[in-house]
Amino acid sequence: MTSLFVRNGLLIDMEPDPATAGPGDVLVEDGVITATGPGLPEVAGAEVIDATGMIVMPGFVDTHRHTWQAGLRAAAPDISFGGYLGRVLGEFAPRYRPEDVYTGNLAGALECLDAGITTLVDWSHINLTPAHTDAIIESLRNAGIRAVLGYCYGGDGGPDGLTAEGHRVREELFGGAGGLLSMAVAAFGPEIVSEEQALREWRLARDLDVPVTAHMGGHGAEGAERGLAFLQDNGLLGPGTMFVHPNYYTADALRRIADGGGTGSVSPLVEAELGIGYPATGRARADGMPVGLGADTVACGPGDMFSLMRAAYVLERARPGGAGLGFTTRDVLRMATIEGAEVAGLAEVTGSLRPGKQADLVLLRVDGLGQAPVNDPIGTVVLAADTRSVDTVIVAGRVVKRGGRLLRHDLPSLRAALAESAACVTGRPGSGRTPTPVPAS
């Protein structure tokens, strides 16, 4: 048995609601939290991490990110949603080789860990070939992050190709139980593709016994209602479905989704920037829908949870007529941890310090001039901390970042590979290869 003893930190737990537990310890055995509290006896042979002066809390959960786009960071600022579709998905994505996907996905996953995000829902719409898919999964495994791969078929085999490749991925690459990686079907959904294709996406998820994550509710009020009616008419509205960008749903629609067991993912910065609806954060939660936060894309937004929490907090409290003034820092921290874990289908695995859960932990330094003094620990995390605060990150009891530095990866080489890949796929000078021509639309 391997043991880890996190000693004398300022504990913030999330169950039943975010609260400061005071100075205390966390004991981890074989990757699982076995005890928390003040003055725990140390276990002989345990690795000891001194958390004195630091906040100890569950790792953040990002419920929606196109991780492969790490090399496109800030490549499309000040852009509209249509511009994003044309430039990032229409121009850049077809140029990605499996090697580019591996490099981008690895860099994106490590970016998450570096910022204290220990769990990631990777909405992956770069599965152009089986080799691309294999590269994505290899990158996530090598990163050491807990991840749900949202598999979105990108081949040219039509619905039959979707079914065949979906089964291959599930059976060959996710056949074993347990581990850090799991699978979901990332469905385009009936607001984007034909109803026939949407049916095949949901049927595939049911055949594979995996959840669905779909971009639904962010394409206008008419499309939101039409798509939701399609799910209801076909018996597809139920547990295990994550609605990404659910901003155009009415209160009645949000209640129907929540009553059916659906969840929501909000990307507050990108949604506001791209014009895909005012974030439904407080409205959705008020109607009973669990809601998590997502970075979506670093092509036009930041990739850290501190930025997302602040954006969600400010945009919600700025709703007209004071409608969001009841939204608190505790609410947004809950969304970034245990509520995000619920949205990702992992609430029994991660998201809090409850004994029996996987030890996905973050230790935050709060001794900087921008954080000290700590008058309200939760307020400090949401309003004052940033990526520089992330001292130590632990995933399933394994230390992946210590003393402010990621471990076990050659970061200079990865950054160089990412820069070379980005130069090629964007057509900028600096790459030693010629960009793949983009097919005419």
Side-chain angles (χ1 to χ4, degrees), residues 47-340:
E47 178 185 358
V48 177
I49 296 178
D50 186 0
T52 301
M54 289 189 273
I55 287 174
V56 179
M57 57 172 282
F60 296 121
V61 179
D62 184 327
T63 58
H64 181 71
R65 179 184 295 244
H66 306 302
T67 314
W68 61 273
Q69 295 178 8
L72 301 178
R73 187 178 318 281
D78 313 316
I79 204 168
S80 67
F81 182 55
Y84 167 83
L85 293 177
R87 190 171 190 192
V88 175
L89 300 187
E91 180 182 348
F92 297 156
R95 295 173 175 165
Y96 269 73
R97 307 169 305 169
E99 303 96 302
D100 300 309
V101 171
Y102 176 84
T103 300
N105 234 71
L106 178 61
L110 291 178
E111 173 191 356
C112 289
L113 290 174
D114 194 41
I117 297 169
T118 55
T119 298
L120 166 69
V121 179
D122 185 1
W123 213 104
S124 186
H125 48 4
I126 194 66
N127 296 273
L128 307 179
T129 68
H132 287 73
T133 304
D134 295 349
I136 292 164
I137 294 172
E138 182 184 6
S139 72
L140 294 173
R141 294 194 193 282
N142 288 345
I145 196 168
R146 188 179 305 281
V148 178
L149 174 65
Y151 174 77
C152 181
Y153 179 68
D156 57 5
D160 291 338
L162 162 71
T163 300
E165 182 62 4
H167 277 274
R168 181 193 77 87
V169 172
R170 180 72 173 89
E171 293 160 11
E172 294 185 11
L173 305 178
F174 290 93
L180 294 178
L181 300 190
S182 56
M183 181 181 176
V185 168
F188 284 114
E191 294 177 46
I192 298 175
V193 296
S194 69
E195 292 187 353
E196 177 187 1
Q197 182 173 338
L199 277 175
R200 293 292 288 266
E201 292 172 332
W202 259 263
R203 286 171 180 167
L204 174 64
R206 290 190 171 181
D207 288 347
L208 301 181
D209 192 26
V210 299
V212 173
T213 172
H215 291 86
M216 290 190 66
H219 306 284
E222 187 277 332
E225 184 56 40
R226 175 176 52 81
L228 187 58
F230 167 82
L231 295 186
Q232 289 183 297
D233 292 346
N234 287 280
L236 303 176
L237 184 60
T241 302
M242 180 199 303
F243 292 75
V244 179
H245 314 314
N247 301 327
Y248 286 100
Y249 288 122
T250 63
D252 174 69
L254 291 169
R255 283 191 292 271
R256 279 182 278 157
I257 294 170
D259 290 345
T263 62
S265 176
V266 168
S267 300
L269 273 158
V270 169
E271 289 168 4
E273 180 186 7
L274 297 186
I276 50 180
Y278 201 94
T281 311
R283 293 195 307 112
R285 296 177 86 243
D287 286 310
M289 179 191 289
V291 179
L293 297 173
D296 198 329
T297 173
V298 298
C300 55
D304 66 280
M305 190 58 67
F306 302 102
S307 296
L308 301 181
M309 287 191 294
R310 283 198 266 279
Y313 178 74
V314 170
L315 288 170
E316 181 60 26
R317 289 180 66 90
R319 284 172 58 199
L325 289 177
F327 188 68
T328 69
T329 53
R330 280 158 174 75
D331 291 327
V332 76
L333 186 60
R334 191 178 197 282
M335 291 173 62
T337 53
I338 184 61
E339 196 165 328

